[in-house]
Amino acid sequence: MKIVVVALPGSGKTTIMNFVKQRLPDVKVVNYGDVMFEIAKQRFGVQHRDEMRKKIPVEEYRKIQEEAAEYIASLPGDVLIDTHASIKIGGGYYPGLPDRIISKLKPDVILLLEYDPKDILERRKKDPERFRDVESEEEVEMQQQANRLFAFAAANAGESTVHVLSFRGRPQNRPFEHSETAADYIVNLILRSRQKS
């Protein structure tokens, strides 16, 4: 089973993937941006992932996207793909899973995670390793809406199902509660798929 997990930067996707790996160590977790970064680093000398969308021309960005998709699609077994439904480039939103990419990946499920914008902004403040733009709650919400539209468009092109897991209005009662809930959801999807095989 291939599951594409999409959410805004700062949503905690890496933490979610780590929880899944603890429960299902044989699942491959691939960060789409990391695969792209390795290609971009060799070709364009970018120093960090957040520099890619600012320094690489869109045409070259597209080529890198395709190379990454071909590599990820070739991975056998159950694969979790950590990526974004939309990427902010040049003041607009660029599709993270355009038709030419999603048709190469052919995921079974696109899992869209949504959060209260203030929660995303708080998480971003705690991640000093990244070089993210400072955004308002309104800008975060606008991109979440773009993500939803892009996720459904990608599912149509990839003939995938979309699952929306919303944590809006759901405060955490303990640290990582949202991440654990999302990980449980993913583990259950994979286990159900294995039972059918």
Side-chain angles (χ1 to χ4, degrees), residues 128-139:
E129 301 293 312
R130 300 297 299 270
F131 301 91
R132 295 182 172 129
D133 297 331
V134 176
E135 294 181 297
S136 67
E137 286 186 27
E138 291 76 20
E139 289 170 309

Side-chain angles (χ1 to χ4, degrees), residues 129-173:
E129 301 293 312
R130 300 297 299 270
F131 301 91
R132 295 182 172 129
D133 297 331
V134 176
E135 294 181 297
S136 67
E137 286 186 27
E138 291 76 20
E139 289 170 309
V140 169
E141 183 55 35
M142 173 78 80
Q143 190 169 7
Q144 283 198 122
Q145 293 303 318
N147 274 359
R148 189 175 274 227
L149 298 172
F150 280 129
F152 279 96
N156 181 58
E159 298 179 43
S160 312
T161 59
V162 174
H163 295 230
V164 179
L165 193 53
S166 176
F167 294 101
R168 293 170 184 276
R170 291 171 60 183
Q172 296 191 99
N173 296 314

Side-chain angles (χ1 to χ4, degrees), residues 106-119:
K106 295 189 183 343
D108 300 287
V109 171
I110 297 172
L111 175 60
L112 175 65
L113 304 171
E114 297 179 340
Y115 300 87
D116 287 328
K118 65 180 176 3
D119 293 340

Side-chain angles (χ1 to χ4, degrees), residues 10 17 21 24 37 39 55 69 71 73 80 87-88 93 105 109 111 114 132 139 148 164 187 189 192:
M17 303 297 180
K21 283 292 282 181
L24 298 174
F37 174 60
I39 298 167
K55 290 198 171 178
Y71 166 75
L80 282 182
I87 299 112
K88 279 187 139 178
Y93 300 105
L105 289 176
V109 171
L111 175 60
E114 297 179 340
R132 295 182 172 129
E139 289 170 309
R148 189 175 274 227
V164 179
V187 166
L189 283 175
R192 280 200 306 269

Side-chain angles (χ1 to χ4, degrees), residues 55-68:
K55 290 198 171 178
I56 298 173
V58 172
E59 278 306 312
E60 293 301 319
Y61 192 90
R62 288 180 181 139
K63 289 177 190 170
I64 293 168
Q65 252 187 333
E66 287 187 35
E67 280 183 54

